[in-house]
Amino acid sequence: MFIAGNWKMNTDVRSAVALAAAICERVAPSTKTHVAVCPPYISLDAVGRAIRASASPVKLGAQDMHFEQDGAFTGAISGAMLASVGCSYVILGHSERRQFFGETDASVNRKTLKAPANGLIPIVCIGETLTEREAEREEEVVGTQVRAALDGVSLTSADQLVLAYEPVWAIGTGRTASPEQAQAIHAFIRSLLVEQFGEGLGRAIHILYGGSMKPSNAPELLGQKDVDGGLIGGAALKADDFLGIVAAAEAVSR
Ligand code: PEP
């Protein structure tokens, strides 16, 4: 199981460190679930230090990166920079990046290919909009996104890649995919991973669900066969809620 918190454009440096400290304090080294927090760029260094100062196994992640290592890209942050502040993960292709910042399947693919060069594990986000779901096009849309993002990607172990299925209609809306809806599309994503990486790796890659997951609905969602964790937005901003989801993952523990 893997639970990652996407803090989006929330917290300043001080409150980010406080939130990270509150989480680290209660994620024991014996926790089987992999836990990561993804604060805004400005807080990565300070949060990384707070994590390292604790005895906790919590990992640091970023919310995006540029596909080049350096150069004239005003405002952008490279994978090398993320590695230099201790990031282990990077979220790529989040629907808000696609919707508001012109992220495309092609740029997600370039970033996914680049991340390992800096020792970063990509958390690749895919998911359909409400219109696409209502037109029953979710498999077509998600299939296109997965194939495009992973084009040319090769792995030597399953922990080098994480997928996050995030139906756009469930993000920040309070509306959650039903456990059955989540399982159905996760099983479809699993089949694509098996097709590309083979049975062993494809079955072991973590596929997270994201979209209004909270402590109350986490047990049922995480109980689905192909739901291997959660990418958490709103509920990641309150230590108690986030830790409640981590506890639900621990209870399922696989
Ligand atoms: C997200 O944006 O990654 C997300 C899952 O948000 P929320 O949990 O707030 O729906």
Side-chain angles (χ1 to χ4, degrees), residues 124-219:
V124 176
C125 301
I126 64 264
E128 80 287 356
T129 63
L130 184 58
T131 317
E132 290 160 346
R133 163 72 59 169
E134 283 172 349
E136 296 180 6
R137 292 183 51 227
E138 64 272 15
E139 287 202 358
E140 173 200 329
V141 171
V142 168
T144 302
Q145 290 174 339
V146 171
R147 288 191 181 95
L150 303 186
D151 188 26
V153 170
S154 59
L155 304 176
T156 51
S157 84
D159 55 11
Q160 292 168 339
L161 175 69
V162 178
L163 271 282
Y165 169 62
E166 301 208 301
V168 179
W169 48 272
I171 294 180
T173 58
R175 202 174 149 181
T176 317
S178 69
E180 296 72 26
Q181 284 174 320
Q183 170 54 29
I185 200 95
H186 278 233
F188 170 66
I189 295 166
R190 176 79 64 210
S191 71
L192 299 177
L193 296 178
V194 167
E195 197 177 285
Q196 178 162 352
F197 302 111
E199 277 287 329
L201 292 180
R203 298 232 167 265
I205 292 168
H206 282 128
I207 307 176
L208 315 184
Y209 168 81
S212 300
M213 194 188 274
K214 38 189 186 277
S216 57
N217 60 24

Side-chain angles (χ1 to χ4, degrees), residues 6 8 94 96 166 170-174 210-213 231-235:
N6 173 13
K8 309 193 183 190
H94 190 280
E96 287 152 16
E166 301 208 301
I171 294 180
T173 58
S212 300
M213 194 188 274
L231 181 54
I232 319 300

Side-chain angles (χ1 to χ4, degrees), residues 81-124:
M81 294 171 188
L82 299 181
S84 77
V85 291
C87 283
S88 302
Y89 293 95
V90 59
I91 298 172
L92 298 177
H94 190 280
S95 63
E96 287 152 16
R97 300 295 316 171
R98 294 177 191 258
Q99 190 180 349
F100 303 125
F101 299 97
E103 188 82 85
T104 63
D105 283 343
S107 59
V108 175
N109 178 241
R110 289 185 76 174
K111 294 174 181 188
T112 305
L113 288 167
K114 190 69 183 187
N118 297 296
L120 297 168
I121 299 167
I123 302 174
V124 176

Side-chain angles (χ1 to χ4, degrees), residues 27-100:
V27 178
S30 58
T31 307
K32 290 194 272 320
T33 303
H34 302 272
V35 180
V37 293
C38 305
Y41 288 137
I42 193 82
S43 300
L44 283 172
D45 190 26
V47 168
R49 286 170 201 271
I51 292 173
R52 288 192 294 278
S54 75
S56 135
V58 171
K59 301 283 190 208
L60 185 66
Q63 299 174 19
D64 186 30
M65 62 169 237
H66 198 277
F67 45 73
E68 295 292 353
Q69 287 293 85
D70 48 40
F73 300 101
T74 301
I77 298 285
S78 72
M81 294 171 188
L82 299 181
S84 77
V85 291
C87 283
S88 302
Y89 293 95
V90 59
I91 298 172
L92 298 177
H94 190 280
S95 63
E96 287 152 16
R97 300 295 316 171
R98 294 177 191 258
Q99 190 180 349
F100 303 125

